[in-house]
Amino acid sequence: MTRSLIESQPKLSMIDQSLEWFRTMCRIRRFDETIDELFAQGKVHGTTHLYIGEEAVATGAIATLKPGDVITSTHRGHGHNIALGGDIRAMMAELLGRSSGYCHGVGGSMHIADQALGNLGANGIVGAGLPIAVGAALGFQMRQEPHLVLAFAGDGALNEGAFHEAANLAAIWHLPVVFVVENNQYGMSGSVKEMFAIGHLADRAVGYGIPATMVDGMDIFSVWEAASQATQEVRNGHGPRLIEAVTYRYKGHSKSDANRYRTREEIQQWRQRDPLDHVRQYLEDQGVEAAALDRIRHEEIQAVAQALEFAEASPWPDASTLEEAVYAPEEVDHA
Amino acid sequence: MTRSLIESQPKLSMIDQSLEWFRTMCRIRRFDETIDELFAQGKVHGTTHLYIGEEAVATGAIATLKPGDVITSTHRGHGHNIALGGDIRAMMAELLGRSSGYCHGVGGSMHIADQALGNLGANGIVGAGLPIAVGAALGFQMRQEPHLVLAFAGDGALNEGAFHEAANLAAIWHLPVVFVVENNQYGMSGSVKEMFAIGHLADRAVGYGIPATMVDGMDIFSVWEAASQATQEVRNGHGPRLIEAVTYRYKGHSKSDANRYRTREEIQQWRQRDPLDHVRQYLEDQGVEAAALDRIRHEEIQAVAQALEFAEASPWPDASTLEEAVYAPEEVDHA
Amino acid sequence: MPEMTYAAAVRSAMEWEMAKDPRVFIMGEDIGVYGGAFGVTMGMVDRFGKTRVRDTPIAEEGIVGAGIGAALVGMRPIVELQFSDFIMNAMDQVVNQAAKIHFMFGGRMSVSLVLRGPAGAGTGAAAQHSQSLEAWFHHVPGLKVVMPAFPDDARGLLLAAIRDPNPVLFYEHKLLYKVKGDVTESDAAQPLGQGMIRRYGRHATVVTYSLMVHRVLDAALQLAKNGWDVEVIDLRSLVPMDIPLIVDSVKRTGRLAICHEAVGRGGIGGEIAARILESEAFDFLEAPLLRITGLNTPVPYSPPLEAAFMPSVDRIAQSLETWLTREVVQS
Amino acid sequence: MPEMTYAAAVRSAMEWEMAKDPRVFIMGEDIGVYGGAFGVTMGMVDRFGKTRVRDTPIAEEGIVGAGIGAALVGMRPIVELQFSDFIMNAMDQVVNQAAKIHFMFGGRMSVSLVLRGPAGAGTGAAAQHSQSLEAWFHHVPGLKVVMPAFPDDARGLLLAAIRDPNPVLFYEHKLLYKVKGDVTESDAAQPLGQGMIRRYGRHATVVTYSLMVHRVLDAALQLAKNGWDVEVIDLRSLVPMDIPLIVDSVKRTGRLAICHEAVGRGGIGGEIAARILESEAFDFLEAPLLRITGLNTPVPYSPPLEAAFMPSVDRIAQSLETWLTREVVQS
Ligand SMILES: Cc1ncc(C[n+]2csc(CCOP(=O)(O)OP(=O)(O)O)c2C)c(N)n1
Ligand SMILES: Cc1ncc(C[n+]2csc(CCOP(=O)(O)OP(=O)(O)O)c2C)c(N)n1
Ligand SMILES: [Mg+2]
Ligand SMILES: [Mg+2]
């Protein structure tokens, strides 16, 4: 039902695929680094949640999707939309509040989503995307379409009632949905150690009868493997799956975070296991030249710079038509 | 902090205790049978949810409480309040909407609760009592009081977000609360087989790190034993516990239920294992005369009849002061 | 034109649209074999099967969210709230998601979703099962709110609601379910946003909707015996609201009364009053506003208390008569 | 009288009451070492410990419910909502539980609970984090609603809210947190339900609250330069609301304008208008109502759009001036 830029996997060799991933991860990182700088310079309004450090999760999981599949995203959603193939110019413009942005400046950081690519929405409300994901999966199942839904959620979101109700619906109706839990150790300042009384978040899935696995979210190969297996099982009609990807957020929760709840050492330790370095190492080990990898990185740095130029050159939106934009005059094309 | 009629256990022998239980269960049954008749005769307004068949759960679990402990109840709450020692005259009057009712006729069936005995509220909203239970437990813990909270919930309530958030809070804060899940096989017409993808509801507790047990809810000795152990552990500071009591509702969900979702045979089968018969059998086996047991039953039938007379003779409430009753002029005594 | 109950008219609209459009389905608690708490969906599962007439767990946030998700991939879900009060458990999905998605994502998505269920008091269901919460939702940009008073309107407006590309709250008053009326069983939807004058009159305009339309009409008959002649407007849809109809009427009658069952304070009566007070009708106003509403209390249980909570025909007639006597003589 | 920010005044009230009354504690998301999303609780955990300044999981329904339960056993909880919008996730606990418990159980229980948090737009937080939802809650019998505009009021009214035996919603506008003012650091609470005339004037009464008090006062200064003299009422508390103060003022000025940031349709302006239209002030009204409010849209993100959503000093001044010019000359 949708134009989709998601390529199916088989035609790529592991090296080609890894090169693609490396490119995507460089793009995500550079995009969010740029946003970080813009905030530091006071050039952006509002707040934002950066995906830096977690690139392997979105990239690896989304790499397993096929045309027609969809995702639901979160407040920390830039990485998801980029991994899906989203246009970083429209993303940057949205962040700068310009009319050429994905939402014509109406949405901002927390509402960037390319619906034509299958992104059913980033979401400012923690956990709120999960019942929506389940509903999309229900739609696919009712129409007997082979698509599935990848539903992203933070560790913190797992304590919201919305997660609970969504997980149970998915389980009892055997819906084609994979919950991808980005366990980056904290929900804002709340550490998973204090906010959960279970060792592994994946264990929570037991209570719904949903099979779950835990993977190293800093290692894209692990993420991809787990997601491949989960999506395969879901496509085979075995019902929902949950993946806990253990990862880390390098930057503060949002723009105003003094990091009082964690130590510099902890951040430093996680940075040692950088997901970009990891895939880069693999590629170098496979004989890919460092220069080729640098070139990819620079191309992405360039692309992000161009996106910023594009955004800055774009006009501001016009407030006079706001009230007309509230109700849909007719149905919009669907993902 | 509260006047409580809950007696502590040790001074009663098992026979004395069982006689007490038998009395309580007869009272609950007769009370709800009477309500059923009143509805059939069109003498009561609104709707009601009868506890008939489930008497062993409230009676056995509440028997483990000590003075100062509290409970939260549900829409199916008559049995809880009676087991706690509630005044059936004030209950009956409330159901008949009279000014001598617990809530002066304002509340009705779903809001009968004797707060002075530690009942923090029946609740018309499925699952809503659970976060409240957790808050009461938090209050006790913060004040370092030895009390605990018994939080009743139906099987259906376990699929509400409120249960989820409450369970997690209880677990991470090691709160003194025992969740008593009355698994009567259905949430209205929704069978646990269709609404859960797990075999035993107790397994849901795993996802929070809460130890749980499943017991035969038609057997008061099992309920009492499980609740004794759970409350003991909670009192020893080991944090929350969950008990799944497997039971059955003989009557329709509420007054307007044609029982289309279950078979007569199923109902008949469960009735074979009647919880009153079970305790009665035990007492007879212990040498208690049938006549003595019949006497107890008749005394309770009498008591309920008197409660009904009391209620019917009570005046209707006066609407003219309703608007003044919305805000508390000052703090009310606490449970 | 067959006569049918309001409940049957609601069912008829759903069945019509489900037969016609495979995207339409309904889900909710106990709507299958049970037939719904008020019997509205009775028999539908036999005709359309368990997939399209889907029983759900007790999980309002989950099922409303699932409705949104299904709409986002092109389905047209109807979600039944067993009691409309339970919308509170799904408030985030209704207000932060369904209502905002179209606007917030820059028009890239639309949520064609109907949330329907029984509202109001009168059945002794007490404080948590008897509320009239429409005022909240008419304050939420992005939602439409429909509250028909008659079976024919219920059917025609529900067809429109299901076909609308936006989320629509469709509230059915419990005491209306058994009300009968002639119903056109056609494919023609009635457009949202058109009020209707149910009775013409010259002394005052009484604006109302849902169950209260019937009570106000009965009160108007009583008043007519005493020579008072009031005009009665049935709003039918609260968002969009037919303000021109009210303005026009008030310009003719010079007096505005509003009757709703919802709690008075902060009810929709305030918005209507403000709209008139802002409008050209201001210069025609000859009397202070009269609001006849639910008490400023939660809904009480006991029959005499519940009856006192709701505007009764007598209370409506008396309030209007006292007001008219004072104001029409004076002016 | 020390000068302090609004945020510090809110903190000062909480600390005062926590030092004095061991039953008082606060819980919420990231209120401990993080100090709260807006820094309101900064440092409190050092003084009172993690038990009484309690970080919670992201589970609004759970923590509001826990606040209710704690209140029912005699604690006096303050629950911080990280953004007041998130109250939707706890709507059932707020409305079906906290607000109704006292009434519904026949006066046997009371829920002494404060729910507080940042409201309003202006920080670019977009549609789900910028709402002004007070109109919903003033429609709910059993809740009180307080929205102070100045640091001193914030402190005094929060003391009253904590001491109140009923559930109180206490909304702090995000853009007020840094506003400074003199604050009396005493034990004296300010009673809920008293509005205050912030500026006397004869051409019109402008009723407002929270952030908009400041903008209306600035607009009034601009108008004064052109010879317009408006009276400005700061409601401070919306439930209870000081209706007599407004009636009295309108009787003097003959004109009523209302300014709030919340979406206009169904906002609290409607209720105020209706109350005046029902009152003896009706006979003194010389002009149609003027409402200056947020647009009828979700709050948009981009700076020019968000600025257009909110009533600005200029929009307020211009609206008032156009209206006064038309109406005062006419009459
Ligand atoms: C319902 C709700 N509660 C609170 C917030 C504020 N908030 C935004 S993100 C966040 C932390 C979310 O943690 P997690 O789910 O682990 O995602 P992460 O930020 O770590 O990616 C919080 C508390 C919110 N947006 N929505
Ligand atoms: C939030 C909410 N949703 C739905 C209902 C309607 N309702 C009342 S009781 C009930 C079934 C509850 O099932 P369970 O928790 O198993 O308790 P039981 O009735 O079996 O004792 C339902 C659906 C309600 N009261 N509240
Ligand atoms: Mg996290
Ligand atoms: Mg049950």
Side-chain angles (χ1 to χ4, degrees):
Chain A
M1 306 201 47
T2 181
R3 293 169 286 128
S4 177
L5 301 190
I6 305 158
E7 300 292 332
S8 54
Q9 299 311 320
K11 58 181 157 172
L12 291 175
S13 79
M14 202 67 197
I15 290 182
D16 287 346
Q17 195 185 43
S18 303
L19 281 169
E20 271 304 305
W21 291 346
F22 181 67
R23 179 180 292 284
T24 300
M25 291 163 78
C26 286
R27 188 179 307 158
I28 295 173
R29 172 139 324 169
R30 186 57 194 162
F31 185 86
D32 269 1
E33 281 172 352
T34 306
I35 301 299
D36 201 23
E37 288 158 19
L38 291 170
F39 265 99
Q41 292 158 14
K43 284 200 185 157
V44 197
H45 187 221
T47 191
T48 196
H49 306 87
L50 307 175
Y51 204 64
I52 300 174
E54 312 186 26
E55 295 88 347
V57 184
T59 308
I62 287 174
T64 67
L65 296 186
K66 294 191 176 170
D69 292 342
V70 301
I71 71 164
T72 61
S73 169
T74 67
H75 59 285
R76 196 174 303 287
H78 306 162
H80 306 142
N81 205 57
I82 292 175
L84 208 52
D87 175 2
I88 57 173
R89 300 188 324 153
M91 291 179 68
M92 191 63 85
E94 186 59 33
L95 273 146
L96 295 202
R98 305 308 167 98
S99 64
S100 55
Y102 265 113
C103 319
H104 315 307
V106 168
S109 168
M110 287 189 282
H111 305 297
I112 289 173
D114 194 322
Q115 173 264 0
L117 296 176
N119 187 346
L120 297 187
N123 212 311
I125 303 297
V126 170
L130 302 173
I132 296 175
V134 160
L138 176 62
F140 293 153
Q141 187 192 62
M142 289 181 72
R143 292 198 303 250
Q144 303 181 302
E145 290 169 358
H147 313 314
L148 60 76
V149 185
L150 216 57
F152 289 96
D155 45 282
L158 259 59
N159 287 330
E160 283 280 5
F163 163 75
H164 178 71
E165 300 189 9
N168 191 56
L169 288 178
I172 64 171
W173 293 340
H174 300 282
L175 296 177
V177 51
V178 179
F179 297 102
V180 180
V181 179
E182 304 178 318
N183 177 2
N184 62 6
Q185 317 303 321
Y186 296 93
M188 204 154 158
S189 71
S191 138
V192 293
K193 295 197 193 74
E194 289 179 30
M195 298 306 165
F196 290 82
I198 49 176
H200 302 302
L201 307 197
D203 290 345
R204 183 153 286 174
V206 175
Y208 309 101
I210 298 180
T213 39
M214 200 177 99
V215 295
D216 180 355
M218 308 306 267
D219 170 1
I220 192 164
F221 302 100
S222 300
V223 173
W224 181 76
E225 221 175 277
S228 298
Q229 193 183 330
T231 50
Q232 196 49 54
E233 289 167 3
V234 167
R235 286 189 212 285
N236 290 343
H238 297 314
R241 293 292 182 269
L242 184 146
I243 297 170
E244 176 192 358
V246 181
T247 180
Y248 201 75
R249 139 170 83 65
Y250 292 179
K251 297 287 176 169
H253 166 73
S254 63
K255 70 162 184 183
S256 55
D257 181 344
N259 277 320
R260 265 184 291 262
Y261 52 88
R262 56 181 186 175
T263 60
R264 251 175 230 287
E265 292 69 45
E266 181 183 291
I267 303 176
Q268 229 19 70
Q269 264 168 23
W270 279 92
R271 276 181 178 271
Q272 305 292 312
R273 306 190 40 242
D274 189 76
L276 274 71
D277 289 350
H278 188 270
V279 66
R280 191 185 169 105
Q281 188 62 53
Y282 165 82
L283 286 165
E284 287 186 11
D285 290 352
Q286 298 298 310
V288 179
E289 306 244 325
L293 296 170
D294 287 339
R295 193 169 347 103
I296 291 177
R297 210 178 118 244
H298 282 290
E299 282 167 10
E300 294 308 322
I301 290 175
Q302 272 309 105
V304 172
Q306 278 161 16
L308 181 56
E309 271 170 42
F310 166 82
E312 285 183 327
S314 294
W316 292 100
D318 173 13
S320 68
T321 54
L322 274 180
E323 290 196 323
E324 292 157 31
V326 176
Y327 292 92
E330 53 187 43
E331 206 172 346
V332 174
D333 267 1
H334 293 291
Chain B
M1 307 203 48
T2 181
R3 292 169 289 128
S4 178
L5 302 188
I6 306 158
E7 301 291 331
S8 56
Q9 298 311 322
K11 58 181 156 174
L12 292 175
S13 80
M14 202 66 196
I15 292 184
D16 288 346
Q17 195 184 43
S18 303
L19 282 168
E20 271 303 306
W21 292 346
F22 181 67
R23 181 181 290 285
T24 301
M25 291 163 77
C26 287
R27 189 179 306 159
I28 296 173
R29 172 139 324 171
R30 186 58 193 161
F31 185 86
D32 269 1
E33 281 172 354
T34 306
I35 302 299
D36 202 22
E37 288 157 20
L38 291 169
F39 265 100
Q41 295 158 13
K43 283 198 186 158
V44 198
H45 186 223
T47 192
T48 195
H49 306 88
L50 307 175
Y51 203 63
I52 299 174
E54 311 186 28
E55 295 88 346
V57 184
T59 309
I62 287 175
T64 66
L65 296 186
K66 295 190 175 170
D69 291 343
V70 301
I71 71 163
T72 60
S73 170
T74 67
H75 59 286
R76 196 175 300 288
H78 306 163
H80 306 142
N81 204 58
I82 292 176
L84 208 52
D87 176 2
I88 56 173
R89 301 186 325 152
M91 291 178 68
M92 192 63 85
E94 186 59 33
L95 273 146
L96 295 202
R98 304 310 166 98
S99 65
S100 55
Y102 264 114
C103 318
H104 316 307
V106 168
S109 169
M110 286 189 285
H111 306 297
I112 289 173
D114 193 323
Q115 173 263 358
L117 296 176
N119 188 345
L120 297 187
N123 212 312
I125 302 298
V126 170
L130 303 173
I132 295 176
V134 161
L138 176 63
F140 293 153
Q141 187 192 63
M142 288 181 72
R143 293 198 301 250
Q144 302 181 304
E145 290 168 359
H147 313 316
L148 60 76
V149 185
L150 217 56
F152 288 96
D155 46 282
L158 259 58
N159 287 330
E160 282 282 5
F163 163 74
H164 179 71
E165 300 188 9
N168 190 56
L169 288 177
I172 63 171
W173 293 341
H174 300 281
L175 295 177
V177 53
V178 179
F179 298 101
V180 180
V181 179
E182 303 178 319
N183 177 3
N184 62 5
Q185 316 302 322
Y186 296 93
M188 203 154 158
S189 72
S191 138
V192 293
K193 295 196 192 75
E194 289 180 32
M195 298 306 166
F196 290 83
I198 48 175
H200 302 303
L201 308 197
D203 289 346
R204 183 154 286 175
V206 175
Y208 309 101
I210 298 180
T213 40
M214 200 176 98
V215 295
D216 180 354
M218 307 307 266
D219 170 1
I220 192 164
F221 302 100
S222 299
V223 172
W224 181 75
E225 221 176 276
S228 297
Q229 192 182 331
T231 51
Q232 196 50 55
E233 287 168 3
V234 167
R235 285 187 214 286
N236 289 343
H238 297 313
R241 292 293 182 269
L242 184 145
I243 297 170
E244 175 192 357
V246 180
T247 180
Y248 201 74
R249 140 170 83 66
Y250 292 178
K251 298 286 176 170
H253 166 73
S254 63
K255 69 160 184 186
S256 54
D257 181 345
N259 277 320
R260 267 185 290 262
Y261 51 89
R262 56 181 184 176
T263 61
R264 251 175 230 287
E265 292 68 47
E266 182 184 290
I267 303 176
Q268 230 17 74
Q269 266 170 21
W270 279 91
R271 276 180 178 273
Q272 305 292 314
R273 306 191 41 241
D274 189 76
L276 273 71
D277 290 350
H278 189 269
V279 65
R280 191 184 170 106
Q281 188 62 52
Y282 166 82
L283 286 164
E284 289 186 10
D285 290 351
Q286 299 298 309
V288 179
E289 307 243 325
L293 297 170
D294 287 339
R295 191 168 350 102
I296 291 178
R297 211 179 118 243
H298 283 292
E299 282 167 11
E300 293 308 322
I301 291 176
Q302 273 308 107
V304 172
Q306 278 161 16
L308 181 55
E309 272 170 40
F310 166 82
E312 285 183 327
S314 293
W316 292 100
D318 172 15
S320 69
T321 54
L322 275 180
E323 289 196 324
E324 291 157 30
V326 175
Y327 292 92
E330 52 188 41
E331 206 172 346
V332 174
D333 267 2
H334 294 291
Chain C
M1 272 215 311
E3 201 191 54
M4 60 175 86
T5 63
Y6 189 100
V10 170
R11 181 165 55 243
S12 167
M14 293 191 287
E15 293 196 322
W16 183 277
E17 211 57 15
M18 282 176 71
K20 190 179 138 181
D21 184 347
R23 298 173 302 172
V24 180
F25 70 103
I26 172 162
M27 60 182 162
E29 295 157 15
D30 311 290
I31 62 164
V33 287
Y34 197 102
F38 291 84
V40 174
T41 56
M42 192 69 78
M44 285 179 69
V45 69
D46 299 325
R47 179 162 171 204
F48 297 101
K50 289 179 82 158
T51 300
R52 292 181 75 198
V53 180
R54 182 174 290 261
D55 274 329
T56 70
I58 312 170
E60 291 75 13
E61 184 170 12
I63 65 180
V64 172
I68 296 170
L72 288 179
V73 296
M75 302 297 285
R76 299 215 148 201
I78 303 168
V79 175
E80 173 171 309
L81 295 161
Q82 192 162 82
F83 283 76
S84 62
D85 313 64
F86 307 156
I87 201 166
M88 287 183 222
N89 287 37
M91 202 70 177
D92 177 70
Q93 290 294 335
V94 176
V95 176
N96 274 333
Q97 314 298 330
K100 296 186 172 58
I101 282 176
H102 178 69
F103 179 84
M104 184 166 78
F105 290 106
R108 302 177 73 85
M109 312 194 206
S110 62
V111 180
S112 184
L113 171 70
V114 173
L115 297 178
R116 49 157 291 278
T123 68
Q128 296 170 329
H129 287 70
S130 305
Q131 295 163 84
S132 298
L133 299 171
E134 62 273 13
W136 287 354
F137 301 103
H138 102 292
H139 186 45
V140 176
L143 298 178
K144 297 187 178 183
V145 184
V146 183
M147 294 185 76
F150 294 94
D152 196 45
D153 282 356
R155 188 178 182 285
L157 291 166
L158 185 50
L159 285 182
I162 299 172
R163 295 170 191 174
D164 201 285
N166 300 285
V168 181
L169 294 193
F170 192 92
Y171 279 147
E172 303 146 16
H173 198 289
K174 298 177 188 79
L175 296 188
L176 289 175
Y177 279 135
K178 293 185 180 156
V179 168
K180 286 190 178 169
D182 290 336
V183 172
T184 327
E185 282 186 300
S186 79
D187 191 57
Q190 293 189 34
L192 305 183
Q194 294 186 0
M196 194 168 268
I197 297 178
R198 295 285 176 197
R199 186 183 202 283
Y200 287 87
R202 66 204 153 88
H203 290 124
T205 301
V206 189
V207 178
T208 185
Y209 55 91
S210 191
L211 176 68
M212 289 299 137
V213 173
H214 300 266
R215 297 198 175 175
V216 170
L217 287 171
D218 284 354
L221 281 182
Q222 282 191 21
L223 290 174
K225 294 188 196 129
N226 301 342
W228 297 113
D229 188 17
V230 297
E231 181 146 318
V232 180
I233 292 183
D234 172 3
L235 288 173
R236 307 200 299 173
S237 131
L238 303 180
V239 181
M241 193 186 283
D242 196 346
I243 296 290
L245 188 75
I246 311 174
V247 169
D248 194 66
S249 172
V250 172
K251 282 165 72 176
R252 281 187 280 105
T253 64
R255 290 171 200 88
L256 173 65
I258 300 163
C259 177
H260 57 64
E261 177 183 320
V263 161
R265 190 179 77 206
I268 235 162
E271 180 66 20
I272 298 172
R275 292 297 290 268
I276 297 309
L277 200 49
E278 286 166 342
S279 78
E280 68 209 62
F282 171 77
D283 288 325
F284 297 79
L285 271 183
E286 290 168 27
L289 170 72
L290 176 68
R291 284 190 292 177
I292 310 163
T293 68
L295 299 184
N296 291 320
T297 72
V299 179
Y301 163 71
S302 182
L305 303 183
E306 189 182 31
F309 173 88
M310 299 171 81
S312 63
V313 175
D314 281 352
R315 167 143 75 98
I316 296 167
Q318 271 164 32
S319 303
L320 284 169
E321 181 143 18
T322 308
W323 177 67
L324 288 169
T325 307
R326 189 180 62 224
E327 299 301 336
V328 181
V329 172
Q330 271 185 1
S331 69
Chain D
M1 274 215 310
E3 201 190 53
M4 60 175 86
T5 63
Y6 189 99
V10 170
R11 180 163 55 242
S12 166
M14 294 192 286
E15 294 195 321
W16 183 276
E17 211 57 14
M18 283 177 72
K20 189 179 141 183
D21 184 347
R23 298 174 301 172
V24 180
F25 71 102
I26 173 163
M27 60 182 162
E29 295 156 15
D30 312 290
I31 63 164
V33 287
Y34 196 102
F38 290 84
V40 175
T41 57
M42 192 69 78
M44 285 178 70
V45 69
D46 299 326
R47 179 161 171 205
F48 297 101
K50 290 179 82 157
T51 300
R52 294 182 74 198
V53 179
R54 182 174 291 261
D55 274 328
T56 71
I58 312 170
E60 291 76 13
E61 184 171 12
I63 65 180
V64 172
I68 296 170
L72 288 179
V73 296
M75 302 296 286
R76 301 218 146 199
I78 303 167
V79 174
E80 174 170 310
L81 294 162
Q82 191 162 85
F83 284 74
S84 63
D85 313 62
F86 306 156
I87 201 165
M88 287 184 221
N89 288 35
M91 202 70 177
D92 177 69
Q93 290 293 336
V94 175
V95 176
N96 274 331
Q97 314 298 330
K100 296 185 172 59
I101 282 176
H102 178 70
F103 180 84
M104 184 166 78
F105 290 105
R108 302 176 72 84
M109 311 192 206
S110 63
V111 180
S112 185
L113 171 70
V114 173
L115 298 178
R116 50 156 291 277
T123 68
Q128 297 171 329
H129 288 69
S130 304
Q131 295 163 85
S132 298
L133 300 170
E134 61 272 13
W136 288 353
F137 301 103
H138 104 292
H139 185 45
V140 177
L143 298 179
K144 298 187 176 181
V145 184
V146 183
M147 294 186 75
F150 294 93
D152 195 43
D153 283 355
R155 188 177 182 286
L157 291 166
L158 185 49
L159 285 182
I162 300 171
R163 295 171 190 174
D164 200 284
N166 300 285
V168 182
L169 294 192
F170 192 92
Y171 279 148
E172 304 147 14
H173 198 290
K174 298 177 188 78
L175 296 189
L176 289 174
Y177 279 135
K178 294 187 179 154
V179 167
K180 286 190 180 170
D182 290 336
V183 172
T184 327
E185 281 186 300
S186 79
D187 191 55
Q190 293 191 33
L192 306 183
Q194 295 186 0
M196 196 170 267
I197 297 178
R198 296 285 178 198
R199 186 182 201 284
Y200 288 87
R202 65 204 154 87
H203 290 124
T205 301
V206 189
V207 179
T208 185
Y209 54 92
S210 190
L211 176 68
M212 289 299 137
V213 173
H214 300 266
R215 297 201 175 172
V216 170
L217 286 171
D218 285 353
L221 280 182
Q222 283 191 18
L223 289 173
K225 292 190 197 126
N226 300 343
W228 297 113
D229 189 16
V230 298
E231 181 147 318
V232 180
I233 292 183
D234 173 4
L235 289 173
R236 307 202 296 174
S237 130
L238 303 181
V239 182
M241 192 186 284
D242 197 345
I243 296 291
L245 187 75
I246 310 174
V247 169
D248 195 68
S249 172
V250 173
K251 282 164 72 176
R252 280 186 281 105
T253 64
R255 290 171 200 91
L256 173 65
I258 300 162
C259 176
H260 58 64
E261 178 183 322
V263 162
R265 189 179 76 205
I268 234 161
E271 179 66 20
I272 299 172
R275 291 298 291 269
I276 297 311
L277 200 49
E278 287 166 341
S279 79
E280 68 208 63
F282 172 77
D283 288 325
F284 297 80
L285 271 183
E286 291 169 25
L289 170 72
L290 176 69
R291 284 190 291 178
I292 310 163
T293 69
L295 298 185
N296 291 320
T297 71
V299 179
Y301 163 70
S302 181
L305 302 183
E306 188 181 32
F309 174 88
M310 300 170 80
S312 63
V313 175
D314 281 350
R315 165 141 76 97
I316 296 166
Q318 272 164 30
S319 303
L320 283 170
E321 181 141 18
T322 308
W323 177 67
L324 287 168
T325 307
R326 188 179 62 223
E327 300 301 334
V328 180
V329 173
Q330 271 185 359
S331 70

